[in-house]
Amino acid sequence: MIPPRVRFAPSPTGDLHVGGVRAALFNWLYARRHGGTFVLRVEDTDRERSTPESTALILEGMSWLGMTPDEGPFFQSERGDLYRARLTQLLDMGGAYRCWCTKDDLDAKRAEAERRKSRYGYDGTCRGVTEAPSPGAPFVVRAKLPQDGEVLIDDMVKGRVVLRNDQFDDFILARQDGSPVYNFTVVVDDIDMGITHVVRGDDHLNNTPKQVHLYRLLGADLPRFAHLPMVHGPDGKKLSKRHGAASILAFREMGYLPETMLSFLARLGWSHGDQEEFTVEELQTLFDLDGINPAAAVFDHKKLEWMNGRRMREMSTPELLARARPFIERAQIDPDLPWVPRALEALQPRANTLAALAEGLSLFAGRGPVAYDAKAAAKFLKAESRALLTELAAALEATRPFAAAAIEETVRTFLATRELKMKHIGQPARVALVGGTASPSLFDVMEIFGRDVTLARLRAAAAWSGPEA
Ligand code: GLU
């Protein structure tokens, strides 16, 4: 196989979101799999809607995921000379023509088509016209398309799509101000950059026949096309903010791991047997365009969260600490405090994101008196807890070492001699220690706080609990 040349061609008009990243990923993986080249081209010809901020977000999102382009980023805004040269070439060859129809003329024709309930398409008025109606009259440039016959697209995902040429009108290549339009620049660039496979969202499928005609007019070979199915939410509707975050950097902020994102995004429309999770290396050796499912892919946030948590649970404590460091700092906790690794270990079984992990650490950040959640305190710090908490504190005075296993033994013996169960002391002690009812294992919590804080907090909660009946 000739090494493929593929590209990701985002328009910098907003965030880089899930559908776009998935297109980037499939291109990148295809290039990696077949020893090809991944080109990044920023399609910023729409001056009104393109912003440098958006370009920066796209580049940052890609670099977070490790999708480094082999060539580029190229910017269409810097390639005007090439587009002008190709436009002149098409005009000279008769593949395009100047159109002086005014907006009013066209609006009237469109309104008439609407009135007759027929499809509007440019009627070719200027096809044979070579002279401007008046000197310097503004014009657009239109492609001169065949009016009969068919165009065949042999899509690698959708299969064969045949469209009749009489369904397409002579579309605009350059506006009155000379600025070229997407369907033109995309083809000029794909030809110029030697793109062999155009892999993109199927929202572009209706542009493809126009682009196929331009390849012909420009005398270039067609690339292969692969149009990716849309990404839907679990309700079957197009993925949007309503379904939760859709911008890739929002996932970084929430503490998802880039490797989880890659594995998860790859499975949006692609499969390899029934394997659910992949390392980046596996993706780079297994991915292929023929594994793409033409049906819409479903983005399931819950599954992503679960996958992320699972990956976090596979990490050693030093690795987890290294990955969570920026999140811990953001939670205003010093990651180098001595209790942090032990607390991470305790939180690891339940945290599904790095942000949740850092948030969990805040349970241990304060060592003074703890504020009780009113509801939890009312429910669990009752009169009958008073003696129990005091006696538990006394029993823990002698525990050596003050570590989870020994603490657990002390607590179990304490309960057994009183014929009580864990449920009698679990929640009161938890509220005493962290102020609420959610925390990692009680024994871990005690170990992390150490004896002094543990005893002080148990006793403070005992004092807070109502007097004995
Ligand atoms: N710039 C186009 C977009 O962001 C993509 C063009 C393409 O991939 O052909 O939708």
Side-chain angles (χ1 to χ4, degrees):
M1 172 175 186
I2 303 166
R5 291 180 57 85
V6 290
R7 86 305 195 269
F8 176 47
S11 302
T13 54
D15 284 342
L16 176 58
H17 43 76
V18 168
V21 188
R22 200 248 333 227
L25 175 64
F26 284 12
N27 278 290
W28 178 65
L29 290 177
Y30 192 63
R32 294 286 75 82
R33 163 74 199 265
H34 294 291
T37 304
F38 174 56
V39 179
L40 175 60
R41 182 173 74 226
V42 180
E43 305 211 315
D44 56 352
T45 46
D46 185 341
R47 292 298 175 105
E48 309 249 294
R49 296 179 58 225
S50 303
T51 64
E53 292 77 24
S54 166
T55 300
L57 291 176
I58 292 168
L59 298 179
E60 196 174 331
M62 293 184 65
S63 105
W64 177 56
L65 293 174
M67 290 194 271
T68 319
D70 302 306
E71 292 179 16
F74 299 107
F75 293 86
Q76 286 194 325
S77 57
E78 293 168 5
R79 297 168 60 81
D81 288 349
L82 176 66
Y83 308 135
R84 274 187 289 280
R86 290 289 170 272
L87 206 59
T88 309
Q89 183 189 336
L90 279 179
L91 283 165
D92 290 348
M93 291 175 353
Y97 59 92
R98 293 180 180 80
C99 166
W100 287 276
C101 290
T102 64
K103 185 169 178 305
D104 288 350
D105 294 341
L106 298 175
D107 284 349
K109 286 177 185 171
R110 189 174 290 118
E112 173 62 16
E114 265 168 35
R115 205 179 54 75
R116 279 198 266 121
K117 297 200 180 351
S118 60
R119 205 178 62 85
Y120 170 75
Y122 181 64
D123 61 3
T125 303
C126 291
R127 263 188 167 231
V129 182
T130 47
E131 290 291 311
S134 59
F139 59 86
V140 299
V141 177
R142 290 183 183 274
K144 192 185 252 174
L145 299 190
Q147 288 168 307
D148 45 28
E150 300 174 327
V151 51
L152 167 80
I153 301 160
D154 191 7
D155 193 273
M156 294 175 81
V157 179
K158 305 278 169 186
R160 282 163 71 95
V161 186
V162 181
L163 295 140
R164 290 205 333 260
N165 284 336
D166 60 11
Q167 294 180 331
F168 301 101
D169 63 353
D170 289 345
F171 63 97
I172 293 175
L173 301 178
R175 304 179 188 92
Q176 282 189 343
D177 63 2
S179 62
V181 303
Y182 158 71
N183 273 317
F184 178 59
T185 55
V186 76
V187 173
V188 170
D189 280 342
D190 284 342
I191 295 172
D192 184 66
M193 296 175 182
I195 299 303
T196 57
H197 295 73
V198 170
V199 181
R200 62 184 170 198
D202 68 7
D203 48 337
H204 284 291
L205 196 55
N206 57 354
N207 285 319
T208 309
K210 295 180 183 175
Q211 296 176 9
V212 166
H213 283 303
L214 286 182
Y215 278 92
R216 297 225 175 100
L217 290 172
L218 289 164
D221 289 338
L222 284 182
R224 295 300 311 274
F225 289 98
H227 283 96
L228 308 173
M230 289 288 99
V231 181
H232 287 174
D235 58 359
K237 305 224 167 80
K238 192 170 177 239
L239 191 70
S240 73
K241 283 235 171 82
R242 275 184 307 113
H243 297 105
S247 129
I248 194 67
L249 290 175
F251 289 98
R252 181 180 69 174
E253 295 315 293
M254 287 187 288
Y256 284 92
L257 304 164
E259 62 267 37
T260 315
M261 291 310 296
L262 289 175
S263 174
F264 179 79
L265 290 169
R267 286 285 286 107
L268 289 181
W270 173 77
S271 57
H272 178 76
D274 48 18
Q275 190 170 340
E276 281 288 344
E277 293 184 63
F278 298 85
T279 63
V280 181
E281 293 71 31
E282 282 174 323
L283 289 174
Q284 291 183 345
T285 47
L286 295 174
F287 181 83
D288 224 332
L289 291 171
D290 52 19
I292 295 176
N293 185 337
V298 176
F299 188 104
D300 182 345
H301 276 264
K302 287 219 173 65
K303 185 170 159 199
L304 173 65
E305 193 182 320
W306 176 84
M307 277 172 59
N308 201 61
R310 226 181 74 153
R311 268 177 202 245
M312 281 170 52
R313 279 182 272 294
E314 286 165 1
M315 289 181 189
S316 66
T317 310
E319 187 182 2
L320 197 57
L321 174 57
R323 304 291 293 264
R325 188 169 274 276
F327 292 86
I328 301 174
E329 281 166 357
R330 206 185 305 157
Q332 306 203 321
I333 297 170
D334 175 0
D336 298 314
L337 286 169
W339 54 266
V340 166
R342 183 65 186 86
L344 286 179
E345 242 171 59
L347 291 160
Q348 195 175 14
R350 257 166 297 193
N352 286 331
T353 62
L354 296 173
L357 195 66
E359 201 177 300
L361 281 184
S362 57
L363 285 181
F364 304 104
R367 298 290 156 130
V370 66
Y372 304 128
D373 168 69
K375 247 170 118 184
K379 188 156 176 209
F380 295 110
L381 299 186
K382 293 227 185 89
E384 59 268 30
S385 319
R386 191 183 179 96
L388 263 188
L389 291 170
T390 313
E391 288 166 30
L392 179 63
L396 288 165
E397 295 242 33
T399 304
R400 297 277 182 292
F402 202 74
I407 294 170
E408 176 164 4
E409 212 180 296
T410 304
V411 174
R412 296 213 183 274
T413 313
F414 173 87
L415 291 171
T417 53
R418 287 168 178 73
E419 295 192 352
L420 294 174
K421 294 255 152 36
M422 207 41 216
K423 68 173 183 211
H424 295 107
I425 193 73
Q427 292 300 56
R430 197 169 252 126
V431 178
L433 288 161
V434 301
T437 52
S439 84
S441 142
L442 196 56
F443 315 121
D444 287 341
V445 171
M446 290 180 177
E447 177 186 328
I448 296 161
F449 277 128
R451 190 191 316 273
D452 291 350
V453 176
T454 299
L455 300 192
R457 287 195 173 182
L458 290 175
R459 287 177 176 139
W464 195 92
S465 306
E468 257 177 291

